[in-house]
Amino acid sequence: MHIHILGICGTFMGGVAALAREAGHRVTGCDAGVYPPMSDQLRALGIELIEGFGAEQMALQPDVWVIGNVVSRARLADGSPKFPLMEAILDAGAPYTSGPQWLAENVLQGRHVLAVAGTHGKTTTTSMLAWVLDACGQQPGFLVGGVPMNFGVSARLGEGKAFVIEADEYDTAFFDKRSKFVHYRPRTAVLNNLEFDHADIFDDLKAIERQFHHLVRTVPASGRVVVNGLEESLTRVLHQGCWSEVCSFGSAVSDFTAEGEPHDFAVQRNGRPVGRVQWALSGVHNQLNALAAIAAAEHLGVPPAEAAAALGRFQNVRRRMELRGSVARAGGDITVYDDFAHHPTAIRTTLDGLARRLGTPRGRILAVFEPRSNTMKLGTMKSQLPWSLENADLAFCHSGGLDWDAAEALAPMGARAAVAANIDTLVQQVVQAARGGDHIVCMSNGGFGGIHERLLKALKT
């Protein structure tokens, strides 16, 4: 089969492309601004990439067109279609489907699907779960919205019955406004946490809770719903109806709990010690992610002690507090990290985890971030930014492209916050403020203009 993927360079659609290629299909694709690292990974797999969404691609005549949710029926100012290829596909009556639907029909059918959903931690927890199953001999397939360092790839078919997938609540495609995860029909569903997000497509938290309940409805009676016992929103989801075994984690009365610091803790099952996790990760959020992965792996027969031991060898995911480099200075090295945090809660948990790991006394934490997600661009959560940055000694915000006043939003932080409309000015601000022993955390769900390397270069001069 020949499939042509529109929007192939996104992490999810790129993963679909890699799985299709591994399954023996001919895969081609297109995107606007075909960009690395996904473009490099796809070309290494022998996948032809085309720049743009021109209608001339109809000449490829694939068996099916797979449509990413970057594609819409939008029109440009002159009235012409923004995605002429999509218009040509519709005019021709050619066969098309969404990425999640293609995945469900061609990869997930007949597998034990373990789907990891939640506002935060999906990528990390999916990676943890895939690693635990792999380390315990189950050879799972997986599709992750990032690159787990234990595997070096974001997706593989796997030889075992298990398939672990990051289950996103964002909509499927312009013609299918359901959340992606309703297509996956998991036997094991992880509900990691749930907050308001994606303000561009959801009106309120209740609307997202409804989508999460749609996921719960698809889990069979013999399945398991692994749920964060600390989240009132998830309690409301389950109160709408649940027909499967529920296994909770995190709260004092949950099935799985942790005793100890996030980097070294005992895992307890119904109050009884069943394993210990000792690793390089930090933050209570990662401790909770670990409990979720252990509870999900147990559903496939992995003893918690073995799962905990495997997590001791977990190497995290690229762009999750990834060390990008350090520069020697009097008073200690200045260290630069890259993190994907793009929501106020994610920013706060990232900085809290670093502060806990460093202990006291410690060097300063400098938070450098850009509000780049659709929700943050809309300004829906701007009032939460000072709260999210409480653990930062200094904060630097890239305000370029925002329709709201970042300086006003950060005013409660006083002199601890600075704003810059372009990356060059932002780099100058950070370099002028930095001193020996500082920890600089760059947070964005995009490339952030290569700020990590630019900071390291500027700090060396």
Side-chain angles (χ1 to χ4, degrees):
M1 176 187 290
H2 174 196
I3 71 171
H4 187 73
I5 299 177
L6 282 68
I8 195 170
C9 285
T11 54
F12 173 77
M13 297 303 283
V16 171
L19 292 171
R21 186 73 183 88
E22 186 181 351
H25 301 295
R26 180 191 172 197
V27 183
T28 54
C30 64
D31 213 324
V34 172
Y35 47 90
M38 188 57 72
S39 60
D40 295 336
Q41 293 181 42
L42 295 174
R43 287 193 175 107
L45 293 172
I47 295 173
E48 178 188 351
L49 303 180
I50 299 171
E51 174 67 35
F53 296 90
E56 70 279 358
Q57 295 175 53
M58 291 297 292
L60 291 169
Q61 296 184 310
D63 296 292
V64 65
W65 305 84
V66 180
I67 314 300
N69 67 2
V70 69
V71 177
S72 70
R73 302 294 303 279
R75 297 269 168 176
L76 301 175
D78 62 3
S80 62
K82 184 176 181 180
F83 298 93
L85 176 56
M86 190 69 240
E87 298 301 321
I89 292 169
L90 295 170
D91 285 341
Y96 66 90
T97 188
S98 68
Q101 187 68 33
W102 188 91
L103 190 70
E105 294 174 352
N106 295 275
V107 176
L108 303 183
Q109 194 73 31
R111 306 288 290 267
H112 182 126
V113 177
L114 301 97
V116 179
T119 307
H120 315 292
K122 289 188 294 293
T123 300
T124 303
T125 307
T126 305
S127 302
M128 287 181 186
L129 180 53
W131 168 245
V132 165
L133 295 178
D134 191 73
C136 294
Q138 298 211 12
Q139 298 181 293
F142 58 83
L143 174 54
V144 186
V147 181
M149 295 183 185
N150 290 88
F151 297 109
V153 294
S154 63
R156 78 174 189 194
L157 286 177
E159 298 179 10
K161 67 178 180 178
F163 194 97
V164 187
I165 186 165
E166 181 172 332
D168 188 7
E169 71 271 25
Y170 207 80
D171 60 10
T172 297
F174 75 87
F175 52 86
D176 182 353
K177 306 313 286 184
R178 297 174 294 168
S179 291
K180 290 187 182 79
F181 56 39
V182 300
H183 294 276
Y184 303 152
R185 301 189 179 181
R187 301 193 72 82
T188 309
V190 176
L191 310 184
N192 216 15
N193 42 62
L194 178 53
E195 291 187 61
F196 182 62
D197 197 5
H198 309 307
D200 52 323
I201 62 171
F202 293 119
D203 292 331
D204 49 32
L205 179 57
K206 186 176 180 179
I208 309 177
E209 289 175 4
R210 187 177 303 114
Q211 291 296 322
F212 270 66
H213 191 246
H214 290 167
L215 174 64
V216 171
R217 291 177 186 178
T218 66
V219 182
S222 58
R224 172 181 286 189
V225 177
V226 177
V227 61
N228 186 337
L230 296 169
E231 297 276 318
E232 292 183 8
S233 54
L234 293 177
T235 298
R236 291 193 295 269
V237 168
L238 295 187
H239 280 171
Q240 295 181 49
C242 183
W243 301 267
S244 314
E245 175 198 12
V246 176
C247 182
S248 64
F249 66 93
S251 75
V253 295
S254 290
D255 299 296
F256 280 92
T257 56
E259 182 71 31
E261 289 298 311
H263 68 280
D264 183 359
F265 59 95
V267 177
Q268 298 175 332
R269 178 73 154 102
N270 297 323
R272 183 175 61 87
V274 290
R276 189 167 200 89
V277 175
Q278 295 173 302
W279 58 0
L281 274 66
S282 60
V284 174
H285 59 298
N286 278 321
Q287 190 177 55
L288 292 171
N289 292 341
L291 293 178
I294 291 168
E298 184 192 57
H299 193 222
L300 267 174
V302 177
E306 294 183 20
L311 287 175
R313 304 189 299 278
F314 179 66
Q315 298 175 27
N316 213 339
V317 184
R318 288 178 187 164
R319 303 206 62 201
R320 279 17 177 223
M321 282 305 291
E322 181 180 358
L323 176 63
R324 294 297 295 265
S326 60
V327 177
R329 284 282 179 87
D333 290 352
I334 299 176
T335 311
V336 177
Y337 304 89
D338 181 14
D339 195 83
F340 195 75
H342 62 283
H343 180 285
T345 300
I347 292 171
R348 185 178 177 89
T349 55
T350 292
L351 298 179
D352 177 68
L354 178 58
R356 288 175 67 110
R357 191 181 82 194
L358 295 175
T360 54
R362 61 168 174 80
R364 299 184 306 171
I365 296 175
L366 278 57
V368 185
F369 68 100
E370 62 173 351
R372 184 182 176 276
S373 70
N374 289 331
T375 300
M376 294 296 282
K377 282 181 179 178
L378 289 170
T380 307
M381 297 180 176
K382 62 183 180 182
S383 63
Q384 297 181 34
L385 284 173
W387 166 81
S388 72
L389 294 161
E390 281 183 351
N391 274 305
D393 295 280
L394 297 173
F396 302 85
C397 175
H398 177 223
S399 62
L402 298 180
D403 293 329
W404 47 273
D405 190 339
E408 181 182 352
L410 294 169
M413 297 183 67
R416 291 171 51 223
V419 175
N422 60 73
I423 300 295
D424 287 339
T425 303
L426 194 69
V427 169
Q428 290 173 8
Q429 290 176 339
V430 177
V431 170
Q432 288 172 5
R435 65 190 190 207
D438 283 349
H439 300 267
I440 302 174
V441 185
C442 302
M443 294 174 284
S444 170
N445 66 343
F448 210 164
I451 194 169
H452 321 86
E453 294 304 321
R454 293 168 73 169
L455 278 172
L456 287 167
K457 181 179 180 181
L459 287 166
K460 291 175 182 176
T461 59

